[in-house]
Amino acid sequence: MTGTVIRNTGSFYTVATDDGCEVQAKIKGNFRLKGIRTTNPVAVGDRVELDGDAGAMPFITAIMPRKNYIIRRASNLSKEAHIIAANVDEAFLVATLYHPVTSTTFIDRFLATAEAYAVPATLVINKVDLCHYDAEREEYLEAVSYLYRSIGYRVMHTSTLTGEGVDALREAMAGKTSLFSGNSGVGKSSLINCLIPGMELRTAEISTTHDTGMHTTTFSEMFALPGGGAIIDTPGVKGFGTIDFDAAEVGHYFPEIFKASSGCRYGDCTHTHEPGCAVREALEESTISQSRYASYLSILADSAPDKYRKPF
């Protein structure tokens, strides 16, 4: 049998087979992808082959070639990675500017990873009702939106409380396999409940002590959208560690830095100290933002060969 993985609980996988069934499957202990050491060798969205004896739980025996995937570092002391989802048409990063605050560093790391793995990305700023009627918050919302739009990203504003932007988001996802990702507490589950009537995914209040979200999604799962397409919902993450970025290529994943770098004096410019660096000139002229450049430097530091403990 062949099919698509639609749920990963860590121990078992649910596969929607091509003949219209859903089956529980597992993998053998030594199943690993060649060249990639990951905590989850099979991800939601993977196309797989199944084999097994009649009446027994089938095994996933092969993964078909992926067109793309999104991956992040599993831990700060490991070379291991976690594949968030595979074979996605677009990644929708859900962020909030208040209650809780999504850092621009997190946004930039996610967007850079999407660029690196050939996944188109959209920034969804949720809970915009918390920004309306407050001039300072509204100004910050517009500034963040302008920053990413000026780089070339689509930025959408949504609120599950007022319904703002939900129809536009539904239209943007129609007919696509879309990844939903973001910090805990940004409202991914609430948005999915709005996009898929009757879904009723569990939601939780934000911690009043730390103003952070609490995990309500505990494993990745794919849900069909009414009218076609699907959403891959993923557990909230606190940080987004990049992995296997070549230091010489990090600038390629920041579109505005890559564009400016064509004017650098040296072809191998790291944009940190070299004379004649067009990127740092653009930074001084404010055509590249300080926050984006700081995110670039943080990923560059991650790419240092001795940054992380080597795997056993």
Side-chain angles (χ1 to χ4, degrees):
M1 292 185 292
T2 57
T4 302
V5 177
I6 61 171
R7 187 180 299 111
N8 172 9
T9 64
S11 301
F12 301 100
Y13 301 86
T14 303
V15 178
T17 63
D18 293 342
D19 58 7
C21 298
E22 287 189 11
V23 299
Q24 291 285 99
K26 54 187 176 181
I27 59 174
K28 293 183 179 179
N30 61 354
F31 191 105
R32 285 291 179 268
L33 290 178
K34 292 180 180 178
I36 303 178
R37 185 179 174 190
T38 60
T39 58
N40 61 327
V42 179
V44 171
D46 269 328
R47 294 279 302 158
V48 296
E49 295 178 1
L50 302 168
D51 192 16
D53 298 326
M57 182 179 291
F59 281 99
I60 294 174
T61 57
I63 300 174
M64 299 179 193
R66 294 166 170 152
K67 73 173 184 180
N68 60 28
Y69 55 90
I70 289 279
I71 193 169
R72 73 182 184 97
R73 188 178 296 279
S75 71
N76 285 340
L77 294 177
S78 170
K79 279 288 186 180
E80 286 200 340
H82 177 80
I83 300 172
I84 298 175
N87 301 319
V88 298
D89 296 314
E90 189 159 358
F92 290 80
L93 175 61
V94 183
T96 47
L97 303 184
Y98 300 96
H99 199 53
V101 175
T102 302
S103 72
T104 54
T105 301
F106 180 90
I107 293 172
D108 294 338
R109 282 171 167 265
F110 184 94
L111 294 178
T113 300
E115 293 279 352
Y117 290 93
V119 179
T122 289
L123 175 61
V124 179
I125 303 178
N126 195 28
K127 302 186 185 181
V128 291
D129 53 279
L130 297 178
C131 300
H132 300 330
Y133 313 112
D134 183 304
E136 187 175 329
R137 289 186 175 190
E138 189 75 42
E139 184 179 352
Y140 183 55
L141 170 64
E142 292 307 316
V144 171
S145 301
Y146 174 78
L147 168 62
Y148 290 100
R149 284 171 179 155
S150 68
I151 295 167
Y153 291 106
R154 176 167 58 178
V155 180
M156 308 185 77
H157 295 172
T158 57
S159 168
T160 58
L161 187 65
T162 66
E164 179 181 346
V166 174
D167 287 342
L169 180 59
R170 184 184 294 111
E171 184 178 336
M173 302 176 80
K176 299 176 180 176
T177 298
S178 302
L179 167 67
F180 250 32
S181 191
N183 295 145
S184 297
V186 296
K188 296 189 304 297
S189 296
S190 296
L191 274 173
I192 292 175
N193 287 342
C194 289
L195 293 166
I196 307 176
M199 193 71 236
E200 298 183 359
L201 291 179
R202 190 165 64 90
T203 60
E205 294 295 322
I206 302 297
S207 166
T208 55
T209 305
H210 303 291
D211 197 37
T212 55
M214 291 170 276
H215 294 292
T216 54
T217 302
T218 55
F219 51 83
S220 298
E221 186 166 5
M222 182 186 292
F223 303 108
L225 280 168
I231 298 174
I232 299 177
D233 187 26
T234 58
V237 292
K238 289 184 179 180
F240 203 91
T242 55
I243 191 164
D244 290 340
F245 276 24
D246 186 323
E249 296 179 351
V250 173
H252 298 186
Y253 310 134
F254 286 74
E256 73 278 36
I257 290 178
F258 181 65
K259 182 179 179 181
S261 67
S262 63
C264 290
R265 182 182 303 175
Y266 302 107
D268 59 351
C269 185
T270 64
H271 320 308
T272 57
H273 63 280
E274 296 88 347
C277 174
V279 170
R280 286 190 293 124
E281 289 176 9
L283 186 67
E284 292 174 4
E285 296 169 358
S286 298
T287 54
I288 290 177
S289 78
Q290 292 285 347
S291 64
R292 290 277 292 173
Y293 183 69
S295 296
Y296 162 77
L297 293 180
S298 74
I299 296 177
L300 202 63
D302 277 0
S303 304
D306 58 348
K307 171 76 174 181
Y308 296 97
R309 183 191 304 161
K310 299 295 187 293
F312 294 106

